[in-house]
Short mmCIF file of all heavy atoms in Angstrom, two decimals:
data_model
loop_
_atom_site.label_atom_id
_atom_site.label_comp_id
_atom_site.label_asym_id
_atom_site.label_seq_id
_atom_site.Cartn_x
_atom_site.Cartn_y
_atom_site.Cartn_z
N MET L 444 -42.44 -6.07 5.00
CA MET L 444 -43.03 -5.18 5.96
C MET L 444 -43.80 -6.09 7.04
O MET L 444 -44.39 -7.10 6.56
CB MET L 444 -44.05 -4.18 5.41
CG MET L 444 -43.36 -3.32 4.23
SD MET L 444 -42.29 -2.07 5.01
CE MET L 444 -43.22 -1.14 6.14
N HIS L 445 -43.83 -5.62 8.18
CA HIS L 445 -44.58 -6.34 9.20
C HIS L 445 -45.15 -5.41 10.21
O HIS L 445 -44.84 -4.17 10.11
CB HIS L 445 -43.68 -7.19 10.11
CG HIS L 445 -42.90 -8.22 9.24
ND1 HIS L 445 -43.34 -9.20 8.76
CD2 HIS L 445 -41.53 -8.40 9.04
CE1 HIS L 445 -42.41 -9.93 8.01
NE2 HIS L 445 -41.30 -9.46 8.19
N CYS L 505 -47.71 -10.59 14.05
CA CYS L 505 -47.75 -9.70 12.88
C CYS L 505 -49.18 -9.51 12.40
O CYS L 505 -49.87 -10.60 12.35
CB CYS L 505 -46.82 -10.10 11.83
SG CYS L 505 -46.84 -9.06 10.35
N MET L 507 -50.09 -8.44 9.54
CA MET L 507 -50.28 -8.80 8.04
C MET L 507 -50.89 -10.08 8.09
O MET L 507 -50.25 -11.20 8.49
CB MET L 507 -49.06 -8.64 7.23
CG MET L 507 -48.65 -7.13 7.06
SD MET L 507 -47.10 -7.02 6.09
CE MET L 507 -47.91 -7.24 4.41
N HIS L 510 -49.27 -13.36 6.99
CA HIS L 510 -47.99 -13.56 7.83
C HIS L 510 -48.28 -14.27 9.08
O HIS L 510 -47.79 -15.32 9.35
CB HIS L 510 -47.28 -12.21 8.18
CG HIS L 510 -46.49 -11.52 7.06
ND1 HIS L 510 -45.70 -10.55 7.18
CD2 HIS L 510 -46.49 -11.96 5.71
CE1 HIS L 510 -45.06 -10.26 5.94
NE2 HIS L 510 -45.52 -11.06 5.11
N MET L 515 -46.46 -16.32 11.96
CA MET L 515 -45.73 -15.23 12.51
C MET L 515 -46.60 -14.72 13.77
O MET L 515 -47.14 -13.62 13.89
CB MET L 515 -45.69 -14.08 11.51
CG MET L 515 -44.62 -13.14 11.77
SD MET L 515 -44.29 -12.12 10.41
CE MET L 515 -42.63 -11.71 10.73
CU1 CU Q 68 -45.37 -9.80 8.94
#
Side-chain angles (χ1 to χ4, degrees):
M444 302 293 295
H445 303 290
C505 177
M507 288 184 75
H510 287 189
M515 201 167 204

